[in-house]
Amino acid sequence: MGIRVSEENRSVCRRCGGEVVANAESFDVFEQMHYTCFHYEFEHAGDPDIECTAGGCPAAGISVASLHGRIGDIEMASAGNTIVPAILTLRRLHFDVTQDADRWVARLGRARFVADDPVTLLGLIKLAENRTPWRATDSEIDDVLAEFDL
């Protein structure tokens, strides 16, 4: 087992003996281990090559291809022929999809998304999935407005 080497101001993982660099500020939070070592030591049940339900599981992506691998070399534009596939995708993701007047609504548990079309619903869901909190900060807004003509 490695130990913290204070004279060199280094953090050494108790589990694997490697230096903790990326999350050195969380060294003590993760019981003086890399996050991955901590996860496999205390949180991950079962086969380490199968993603578990713990958020941020290091096995994520082992059984599911990367985003680039999943989408491949494709060119797609939002058009009438994307509406039905979007609805089918929402249903495959277990969303309840309804039309409320001229708006589309997707619900999953207590989550509710509303948009003008099903393709936009998918975009909102992807935004919520990948960005928490989903709202942009003032500085992010300024940076993007400087880059694009919005």
Side-chain angles (χ1 to χ4, degrees):
M1 295 264 175
I3 57 169
R4 182 184 277 194
V5 183
S6 58
E7 62 273 4
E8 295 179 29
N9 201 22
R10 290 181 39 208
S11 300
V12 178
C13 177
R14 301 183 317 150
R15 187 167 194 254
C16 75
E19 185 175 1
V20 177
V21 177
N23 290 311
E25 70 281 353
S26 299
F27 184 69
D28 290 323
V29 172
F30 293 122
E31 303 287 330
Q32 300 179 343
M33 291 182 236
H34 294 101
Y35 163 71
T36 301
C37 290
F38 176 88
H39 174 74
Y40 284 120
E41 187 74 23
F42 296 109
E43 300 173 331
H44 195 98
D47 188 329
D49 287 337
I50 297 175
E51 182 176 3
C52 70
T53 58
C57 177
I62 290 176
S63 60
V64 177
S66 70
L67 178 60
H68 184 270
R70 292 191 318 263
I71 62 173
D73 297 330
I74 187 170
E75 186 171 319
M76 181 185 297
S78 182
N81 65 349
T82 59
I83 292 172
V84 170
I87 293 168
L88 295 173
T89 300
L90 288 162
R91 287 180 176 163
R92 191 180 68 204
L93 295 170
H94 305 289
F95 281 88
D96 177 40
V97 181
T98 58
Q99 265 187 297
D100 184 11
D102 58 349
R103 304 289 302 243
W104 288 83
V105 180
R107 288 186 175 90
L108 180 64
R110 293 178 19 188
R112 182 175 180 264
F113 300 89
V114 180
D116 292 333
D117 62 83
V119 175
T120 303
L121 281 176
L122 279 173
L124 292 175
I125 291 163
K126 192 69 170 177
L127 178 63
E129 177 186 20
N130 286 283
R131 186 175 164 94
T132 304
W134 65 266
R135 289 180 174 89
T137 64
D138 288 343
S139 64
E140 289 173 322
I141 292 168
D142 291 342
D143 291 346
V144 171
L145 290 177
E147 184 179 354
F148 295 99
D149 182 24
L150 297 176

